[in-house]
PDB file of all heavy atoms in Angstrom:
ATOM      1  N   LEU S 113      49.546-122.046  47.664  1.00 98.00           N
ATOM      2  CA  LEU S 113      49.286-122.559  49.010  1.00 98.00           C
ATOM      3  C   LEU S 113      50.211-121.925  49.986  1.00 98.00           C
ATOM      4  O   LEU S 113      51.384-121.703  49.754  1.00 98.00           O
ATOM      5  CB  LEU S 113      49.449-124.066  48.992  1.00 98.00           C
ATOM      6  CG  LEU S 113      48.618-124.895  47.902  1.00 98.00           C
ATOM      7  CD1 LEU S 113      49.043-126.314  47.885  1.00 98.00           C
ATOM      8  CD2 LEU S 113      47.129-124.686  48.128  1.00 98.00           C
ATOM      9  N   SER S 147      44.735-122.445  50.797  1.00 97.00           N
ATOM     10  CA  SER S 147      44.985-121.573  49.649  1.00 97.00           C
ATOM     11  C   SER S 147      45.160-120.171  50.060  1.00 97.00           C
ATOM     12  O   SER S 147      44.584-119.695  51.023  1.00 97.00           O
ATOM     13  CB  SER S 147      43.839-121.747  48.607  1.00 97.00           C
ATOM     14  OG  SER S 147      42.625-121.393  49.241  1.00 97.00           O
ATOM     15  N   ALA S 150      41.105-116.484  46.893  1.00 94.00           N
ATOM     16  CA  ALA S 150      39.973-117.092  46.370  1.00 94.00           C
ATOM     17  C   ALA S 150      40.185-117.540  44.931  1.00 94.00           C
ATOM     18  O   ALA S 150      39.415-118.423  44.397  1.00 94.00           O
ATOM     19  CB  ALA S 150      38.782-116.085  46.422  1.00 94.00           C
ATOM     20  N   TYR S 151      41.229-117.034  44.200  1.00 95.00           N
ATOM     21  CA  TYR S 151      41.330-117.338  42.780  1.00 95.00           C
ATOM     22  C   TYR S 151      42.505-118.309  42.474  1.00 95.00           C
ATOM     23  O   TYR S 151      42.898-118.477  41.309  1.00 95.00           O
ATOM     24  CB  TYR S 151      41.577-116.050  42.023  1.00 95.00           C
ATOM     25  CG  TYR S 151      40.371-115.100  42.182  1.00 95.00           C
ATOM     26  CD1 TYR S 151      40.514-113.980  43.042  1.00 95.00           C
ATOM     27  CD2 TYR S 151      39.097-115.316  41.580  1.00 95.00           C
ATOM     28  CE1 TYR S 151      39.462-113.055  43.269  1.00 95.00           C
ATOM     29  CE2 TYR S 151      38.051-114.426  41.846  1.00 95.00           C
ATOM     30  CZ  TYR S 151      38.257-113.313  42.673  1.00 95.00           C
ATOM     31  OH  TYR S 151      37.146-112.518  42.848  1.00 95.00           O
ATOM     32  N   VAL S 152      43.037-118.920  43.537  1.00 96.00           N
ATOM     33  CA  VAL S 152      44.167-119.810  43.344  1.00 96.00           C
ATOM     34  C   VAL S 152      43.945-120.867  42.316  1.00 96.00           C
ATOM     35  O   VAL S 152      44.697-121.119  41.369  1.00 96.00           O
ATOM     36  CB  VAL S 152      44.583-120.421  44.680  1.00 96.00           C
ATOM     37  CG1 VAL S 152      45.571-121.582  44.494  1.00 96.00           C
ATOM     38  CG2 VAL S 152      45.226-119.400  45.547  1.00 96.00           C
ATOM     39  N   PHE S 153      42.768-121.563  42.393  1.00 97.00           N
ATOM     40  CA  PHE S 153      42.592-122.760  41.542  1.00 97.00           C
ATOM     41  C   PHE S 153      42.121-122.336  40.160  1.00 97.00           C
ATOM     42  O   PHE S 153      42.279-123.139  39.228  1.00 97.00           O
ATOM     43  CB  PHE S 153      41.581-123.672  42.237  1.00 97.00           C
ATOM     44  CG  PHE S 153      41.994-124.127  43.578  1.00 97.00           C
ATOM     45  CD1 PHE S 153      41.283-123.846  44.717  1.00 97.00           C
ATOM     46  CD2 PHE S 153      43.206-124.840  43.663  1.00 97.00           C
ATOM     47  CE1 PHE S 153      41.685-124.262  45.957  1.00 97.00           C
ATOM     48  CE2 PHE S 153      43.626-125.242  44.966  1.00 97.00           C
ATOM     49  CZ  PHE S 153      42.845-124.938  46.073  1.00 97.00           C
ATOM     50  N   LEU S 154      41.643-121.130  40.010  1.00 96.00           N
ATOM     51  CA  LEU S 154      41.355-120.611  38.662  1.00 96.00           C
ATOM     52  C   LEU S 154      42.680-120.243  37.899  1.00 96.00           C
ATOM     53  O   LEU S 154      42.793-120.532  36.721  1.00 96.00           O
ATOM     54  CB  LEU S 154      40.439-119.391  38.800  1.00 96.00           C
ATOM     55  CG  LEU S 154      40.014-118.728  37.480  1.00 96.00           C
ATOM     56  CD1 LEU S 154      39.163-119.684  36.578  1.00 96.00           C
ATOM     57  CD2 LEU S 154      39.214-117.463  37.728  1.00 96.00           C
ATOM     58  N   GLU S 155      43.596-119.583  38.689  1.00 95.00           N
ATOM     59  CA  GLU S 155      44.807-119.134  38.116  1.00 95.00           C
ATOM     60  C   GLU S 155      45.812-120.356  37.828  1.00 95.00           C
ATOM     61  O   GLU S 155      46.514-120.319  36.915  1.00 95.00           O
ATOM     62  CB  GLU S 155      45.475-118.074  39.020  1.00 95.00           C
ATOM     63  CG  GLU S 155      44.689-116.807  39.080  1.00 95.00           C
ATOM     64  CD  GLU S 155      45.250-115.873  40.187  1.00 95.00           C
ATOM     65  OE1 GLU S 155      46.233-116.218  40.821  1.00 95.00           O
ATOM     66  OE2 GLU S 155      44.750-114.698  40.268  1.00 95.00           O
ATOM     67  N   ASP S 156      45.726-121.324  38.733  1.00 96.00           N
ATOM     68  CA  ASP S 156      46.656-122.434  38.675  1.00 96.00           C
ATOM     69  C   ASP S 156      45.860-123.700  38.955  1.00 96.00           C
ATOM     70  O   ASP S 156      45.939-124.181  40.094  1.00 96.00           O
ATOM     71  CB  ASP S 156      47.809-122.239  39.607  1.00 96.00           C
ATOM     72  CG  ASP S 156      48.778-123.453  39.593  1.00 96.00           C
ATOM     73  OD1 ASP S 156      48.742-124.264  38.636  1.00 96.00           O
ATOM     74  OD2 ASP S 156      49.607-123.554  40.489  1.00 96.00           O
ATOM     75  N   PRO S 157      45.126-124.271  38.000  1.00 97.00           N
ATOM     76  CA  PRO S 157      44.295-125.435  38.260  1.00 97.00           C
ATOM     77  C   PRO S 157      45.050-126.628  38.834  1.00 97.00           C
ATOM     78  O   PRO S 157      44.415-127.439  39.551  1.00 97.00           O
ATOM     79  CB  PRO S 157      43.700-125.767  36.885  1.00 97.00           C
ATOM     80  CG  PRO S 157      43.757-124.480  36.108  1.00 97.00           C
ATOM     81  CD  PRO S 157      45.007-123.780  36.586  1.00 97.00           C
ATOM     82  N   VAL S 158      46.297-126.764  38.500  1.00 97.00           N
ATOM     83  CA  VAL S 158      47.055-127.965  39.009  1.00 97.00           C
ATOM     84  C   VAL S 158      47.307-127.820  40.537  1.00 97.00           C
ATOM     85  O   VAL S 158      47.574-128.868  41.197  1.00 97.00           O
ATOM     86  CB  VAL S 158      48.370-128.141  38.212  1.00 97.00           C
ATOM     87  CG1 VAL S 158      49.309-129.128  38.892  1.00 97.00           C
ATOM     88  CG2 VAL S 158      48.086-128.620  36.762  1.00 97.00           C
ATOM     89  N   ALA S 159      47.033-126.654  41.090  1.00 98.00           N
ATOM     90  CA  ALA S 159      47.131-126.533  42.503  1.00 98.00           C
ATOM     91  C   ALA S 159      46.068-127.433  43.215  1.00 98.00           C
ATOM     92  O   ALA S 159      46.255-127.732  44.394  1.00 98.00           O
ATOM     93  CB  ALA S 159      46.957-125.079  42.890  1.00 98.00           C
ATOM     94  N   LEU S 160      45.031-127.771  42.510  1.00 98.00           N
ATOM     95  CA  LEU S 160      44.028-128.708  43.048  1.00 98.00           C
ATOM     96  C   LEU S 160      44.694-130.079  43.321  1.00 98.00           C
ATOM     97  O   LEU S 160      44.479-130.591  44.421  1.00 98.00           O
ATOM     98  CB  LEU S 160      42.925-128.880  42.020  1.00 98.00           C
ATOM     99  CG  LEU S 160      42.012-127.710  41.765  1.00 98.00           C
ATOM    100  CD1 LEU S 160      41.233-127.860  40.445  1.00 98.00           C
ATOM    101  CD2 LEU S 160      41.026-127.578  42.915  1.00 98.00           C
ATOM    102  N   ALA S 163      47.261-129.711  46.213  1.00 98.00           N
ATOM    103  CA  ALA S 163      46.654-129.654  47.586  1.00 98.00           C
ATOM    104  C   ALA S 163      46.308-131.013  48.053  1.00 98.00           C
ATOM    105  O   ALA S 163      46.573-131.369  49.204  1.00 98.00           O
ATOM    106  CB  ALA S 163      45.416-128.810  47.547  1.00 98.00           C
ATOM    107  N   THR S 178      39.366-123.500  51.731  1.00 98.00           N
ATOM    108  CA  THR S 178      40.068-124.191  50.686  1.00 98.00           C
ATOM    109  C   THR S 178      39.325-125.329  50.080  1.00 98.00           C
ATOM    110  O   THR S 178      39.250-125.479  48.805  1.00 98.00           O
ATOM    111  CB  THR S 178      41.447-124.643  51.175  1.00 98.00           C
ATOM    112  OG1 THR S 178      42.234-123.442  51.680  1.00 98.00           O
ATOM    113  CG2 THR S 178      42.252-125.235  50.063  1.00 98.00           C
ATOM    114  N   ARG S 181      36.597-124.044  47.985  1.00 97.00           N
ATOM    115  CA  ARG S 181      37.065-123.513  46.690  1.00 97.00           C
ATOM    116  C   ARG S 181      37.407-124.638  45.752  1.00 97.00           C
ATOM    117  O   ARG S 181      37.253-124.545  44.494  1.00 97.00           O
ATOM    118  CB  ARG S 181      38.287-122.640  46.894  1.00 97.00           C
ATOM    119  CG  ARG S 181      37.940-121.286  47.546  1.00 97.00           C
ATOM    120  CD  ARG S 181      39.220-120.638  48.119  1.00 97.00           C
ATOM    121  NE  ARG S 181      38.887-119.365  48.834  1.00 97.00           N
ATOM    122  CZ  ARG S 181      39.706-118.720  49.623  1.00 97.00           C
ATOM    123  NH1 ARG S 181      40.965-119.191  49.788  1.00 97.00           N
ATOM    124  NH2 ARG S 181      39.335-117.619  50.185  1.00 97.00           N
ATOM    125  N   MET S 182      37.859-125.746  46.298  1.00 98.00           N
ATOM    126  CA  MET S 182      38.222-126.871  45.407  1.00 98.00           C
ATOM    127  C   MET S 182      36.953-127.516  44.878  1.00 98.00           C
ATOM    128  O   MET S 182      36.897-127.958  43.691  1.00 98.00           O
ATOM    129  CB  MET S 182      38.908-127.955  46.235  1.00 98.00           C
ATOM    130  CG  MET S 182      40.319-127.508  46.639  1.00 98.00           C
ATOM    131  SD  MET S 182      41.198-128.709  47.745  1.00 98.00           S
ATOM    132  CE  MET S 182      41.550-130.015  46.538  1.00 98.00           C
ATOM    133  N   ALA S 185      35.790-125.376  42.093  1.00 97.00           N
ATOM    134  CA  ALA S 185      36.710-125.566  40.930  1.00 97.00           C
ATOM    135  C   ALA S 185      36.281-126.876  40.228  1.00 97.00           C
ATOM    136  O   ALA S 185      36.382-126.964  38.943  1.00 97.00           O
ATOM    137  CB  ALA S 185      38.178-125.697  41.405  1.00 97.00           C
ATOM    138  N   TYR S 190      37.688-126.451  36.325  1.00 97.00           N
ATOM    139  CA  TYR S 190      38.877-125.597  36.193  1.00 97.00           C
ATOM    140  C   TYR S 190      40.052-126.385  35.613  1.00 97.00           C
ATOM    141  O   TYR S 190      40.877-125.898  34.924  1.00 97.00           O
ATOM    142  CB  TYR S 190      39.282-125.024  37.554  1.00 97.00           C
ATOM    143  CG  TYR S 190      38.371-123.876  38.049  1.00 97.00           C
ATOM    144  CD1 TYR S 190      37.196-123.529  37.418  1.00 97.00           C
ATOM    145  CD2 TYR S 190      38.756-123.204  39.203  1.00 97.00           C
ATOM    146  CE1 TYR S 190      36.400-122.562  37.882  1.00 97.00           C
ATOM    147  CE2 TYR S 190      37.878-122.217  39.696  1.00 97.00           C
ATOM    148  CZ  TYR S 190      36.747-121.865  39.098  1.00 97.00           C
ATOM    149  OH  TYR S 190      35.994-120.860  39.560  1.00 97.00           O
TER     150      TYR S 190
END
Side-chain angles (χ1 to χ4, degrees):
L113 305 175
S147 56
Y151 303 104
V152 163
F153 303 119
L154 180 64
E155 294 174 357
D156 179 15
V158 169
L160 292 160
T178 300
R181 290 165 182 166
M182 292 175 71
Y190 289 6

